[in-house]
């Protein structure tokens, strides 16, 4: 009979407890699918006494995740603590040094240290697997590394932060402002411990950086991304966008260009009848474009106990079956150092600004846009009582460089009452 696959699980939060539940609840199913038993030798978490709704009595307890990672009775170290450095990284490195395969859900750690960790794993013929790190329950890592391995990937897009999508949808559906919805999310426990990770686009950026590495055979380069969060989106923006037939989404786009690798995570207007526009609440969506397959759209739960634990289990099941893959789909030593490129693909932009309500103000703004070679498609100044006038402009296609030039010049006109908001329109 095949020997059991023995796990050490570090981190018993929502995801860790979910993994334990699947291993206990689906023991027969997992054995049937892998031909061997999947067991847990020991676990580790910050608090031993906390009730997690699972029976941990059959497992050894380790206070120190590094000690857990090094145990002789652990074949696979399952890292579910999170955090780009600290105990998660120390224990992952210790596990690899001790010759253990690693399964993790840690997007931040992979986005920042993925290359070094992949090299450490592959130097010892070990696996570092992370299906749960990107888009929760959606099997997007498997889709890219395996299902679409016969394609040249042209573009990867996605809405990969459930909290932001929930906030934007909630603002739209209930007509609530950003601060009210943010407070609601705090109450519901939807936000990361550091909410900037969510609303600042960083969490979604980590995920896109990982997908871009796999899709384009490039070293993961989070620092080279263009990232903008949703903090400046107002209910006005949401309503104006809706009026024009668009929804605002925190959208990630990665594509290889002649100038380098474009990876950007930013709020975008997308058509409200498109799959991305229709994406509601905390759901995630990833769109993969391959030269042979065309467009593949994957949609599902991007967070939560069951979906994320489901993704962790897919890696564990692979290891139990003996499926051994490189971290990013090619040997880490062959990943290319690709130059990050600023997005140059022209797109229409939505601009919202507050202007001094005085003669010639609008003329100055349109002159600045004209000087930057940007043509105005639509413009609206809507009702107001204050001394400043809210103005909305939709441009024809423009490059981000030209737009930034125009935004810079607007600053010097003396007619802006506040910093303009610029949102790219993606007609996906
Ligand atoms: N904060 C993340 C989200 C959790 O809202 O999608 C899953 O990574």
């Amino acid at each position: 009979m095949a020997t059991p696959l023995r796990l050490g699980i570090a981190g018993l939060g929502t995801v860790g407890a979910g993994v334990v539940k699947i291993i206990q609840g689906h023991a027969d199913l997992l054995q049937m699918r892998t031909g061997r038993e999947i067991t847990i030798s020991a676990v580790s978490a910050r608090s031993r006494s906390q009730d997690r709704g699972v029976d941990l009595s059959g497992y050894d307890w380790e206070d120190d995740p590094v000690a857990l990672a090094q145990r002789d009775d652990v074949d696979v170290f399952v890292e579910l603590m999170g955090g780009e450095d600290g105990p998660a990284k120390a224990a992952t490195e210790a596990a690899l040094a001790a010759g253990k395969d690693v399964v993790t859900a840690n997007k931040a750690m992979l986005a920042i240290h993925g290359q070094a960790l992949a090299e450490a794993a592959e130097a010892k013929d070990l696996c570092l697997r992370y299906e749960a790190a990107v888009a929760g329950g959606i099997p997007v890592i498997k889709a890219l590394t395996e299902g679409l391995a016969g394609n040249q990937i042209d573009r990867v897009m996605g809405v990969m932060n459930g909290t932001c999508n929930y906030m934007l949808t909630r603002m739209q559906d209930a007509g609530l402002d950003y601060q009210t919805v943010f407070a609601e999310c705090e109450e519901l426990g939807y936000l990361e411990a550091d909410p900037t990770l969510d609303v600042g686009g960083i969490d979604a950026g980590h995920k896109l950086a990982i997908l871009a590495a796999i899709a384009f055979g490039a070293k993961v380069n989070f620092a080279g991304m263009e990232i903008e969060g949703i903090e400046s989106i107002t209910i006005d923006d949401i309503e104006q966008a809706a009026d024009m037939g668009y929804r605002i989404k925190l959208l990630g786009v990665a594509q290889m260009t002649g100038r380098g690798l474009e990876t950007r995570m930013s709020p975008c207007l997308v058509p409200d009848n498109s799959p991305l526009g229709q994406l509601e609440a905390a759901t995630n969506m990833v769109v993969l474009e391959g030269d042979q397959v065309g467009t593949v759209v994957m949609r599902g739960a991007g967070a939560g106990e069951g979906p994320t634990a489901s993704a962790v289990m897919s890696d564990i099941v692979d290891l139990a079956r003996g499926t051994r893959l490189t971290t990013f789909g090619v040997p880490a030593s062959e990943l290319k150092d690709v130059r990050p490129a600023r997005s140059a693909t022209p797109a229409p932009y939505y601009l919202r600004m507050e202007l001094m309500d005085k003669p010639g103000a609008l003329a100055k703004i349109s002159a600045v846009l004209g000087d930057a070679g940007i043509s105005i498609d639509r413009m609206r100044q809507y009702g107001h009582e204050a001394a400043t006038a809210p103005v909305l402009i939709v441009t024809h296609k423009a490059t981000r460089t030209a737009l930034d030039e125009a935004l810079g010049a607007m600053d010097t006109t003396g007619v802006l009452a506040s910093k303009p908001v610029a949102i790219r329109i993606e007609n996906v």
Side-chain angles (χ1 to χ4, degrees), residues 107 160-163 192 198 203 207 302-303:
K107 57 237 163 176
M160 293 181 285
N161 183 277
T163 306
E192 300 273 344
D198 287 315
D203 168 83
K207 295 166 182 168

Side-chain angles (χ1 to χ4, degrees), residues 107 133-136 138 158-169 178 185 190-192 194-208 228-230 248-252 265 276 279-286 300-303:
K107 57 237 163 176
V134 180
I138 303 178
V159 168
M160 293 181 285
N161 183 277
T163 306
C164 287
N165 204 54
Y166 172 85
M167 287 179 67
L168 294 169
T169 319
Y178 178 91
C185 281
Y190 283 7
L191 290 159
E192 300 273 344
D194 172 4
T196 319
L197 292 175
D198 287 315
V199 296
I202 298 163
D203 168 83
H206 286 149
K207 295 166 182 168
L208 185 67
E228 200 185 314
I230 64 164
I248 300 181
K249 298 287 168 192
L250 179 64
L251 181 69
M265 180 61 64
L276 283 162
L279 192 68
E280 298 291 338
T283 316
N284 282 198
M285 180 174 283
V286 185

Side-chain angles (χ1 to χ4, degrees), residues 10-140:
L12 292 169
T14 308
V15 183
V19 169
V20 175
K21 282 182 201 167
I22 296 179
I23 289 170
Q24 293 176 350
H26 284 339
D28 293 344
L29 189 67
L30 293 168
Q31 181 150 15
M32 197 168 67
R33 289 186 175 156
T34 64
R36 61 200 287 204
E37 208 184 337
I38 296 176
T39 62
I40 300 170
S41 300
V43 295
S44 172
R46 267 199 291 248
S47 152
R48 189 168 184 172
S49 56
Q50 188 184 327
D51 178 9
R52 299 173 168 90
V54 283
D55 180 9
L56 301 172
S57 59
Y59 318 134
D60 285 355
W61 182 274
E62 291 280 0
D63 285 325
D64 178 7
V66 170
L68 174 69
Q70 293 168 327
R71 282 174 68 116
D72 289 339
D73 60 357
V74 165
D75 303 312
V76 177
F77 177 63
V78 184
E79 187 284 301
L80 303 172
M81 294 176 282
E84 74 183 59
D85 290 298
K89 179 164 170 272
T92 298
E93 288 170 342
L96 295 173
K100 323 284 185 186
D101 292 320
V102 174
V103 171
T104 177
N106 192 331
K107 57 237 163 176
M109 181 175 76
L110 285 162
I112 309 297
H113 305 294
Q115 181 66 26
L117 293 172
E119 285 174 12
E122 290 168 31
K124 292 189 150 207
D125 286 328
L126 296 169
C127 291
L128 171 61
R129 303 292 303 270
Y130 51 92
E131 183 64 71
V134 180
I138 303 178
V140 61

Side-chain angles (χ1 to χ4, degrees), residues 299-373:
R299 170 194 182 126
E305 180 182 300
T308 313
S310 155
V312 173
M313 286 312 301
S314 89
D315 288 335
I316 293 172
V317 164
D318 264 0
L319 292 171
R321 286 173 170 156
T323 304
R324 303 191 66 77
L325 299 167
T326 52
T327 310
F328 293 106
V330 298
S333 57
E334 286 178 28
L335 288 163
K336 296 183 288 280
D337 242 323
V338 181
R339 189 157 35 103
R342 199 128 201 273
S343 45
T345 318
Y349 280 87
Y350 161 103
L351 305 176
R352 173 178 48 85
M353 60 196 75
E354 199 71 33
L355 297 187
M356 305 297 191
D357 199 1
K358 58 183 187 187
L362 208 47
K364 282 191 178 162
I365 296 299
S366 51
V368 155
L369 287 168
D371 289 348

Side-chain angles (χ1 to χ4, degrees), residues 221 223-228 253-266 338-346 349 398-408 419 422 424:
N221 184 0
M225 293 185 71
E226 292 175 69
I227 298 188
E228 200 185 314
V253 180
Q255 58 193 351
M256 188 64 84
T257 70
R259 298 163 299 102
L261 180 58
E262 276 186 26
T263 44
R264 63 189 141 83
M265 180 61 64
S266 60
V338 181
R339 189 157 35 103
R342 199 128 201 273
S343 45
T345 318
Y349 280 87
T399 62
R400 184 72 216 196
T401 308
L403 185 79
D404 285 345
E405 186 192 315
L407 291 173
K419 195 171 164 343
R424 191 178 168 98

Side-chain angles (χ1 to χ4, degrees), residues 380-401:
R380 180 192 289 174
Q381 176 174 310
Y382 41 106
H384 64 100
E385 281 162 16
T388 60
V391 169
L392 171 72
I393 295 174
V394 176
T395 72
H396 284 292
K397 281 188 180 178
T399 62
R400 184 72 216 196
T401 308

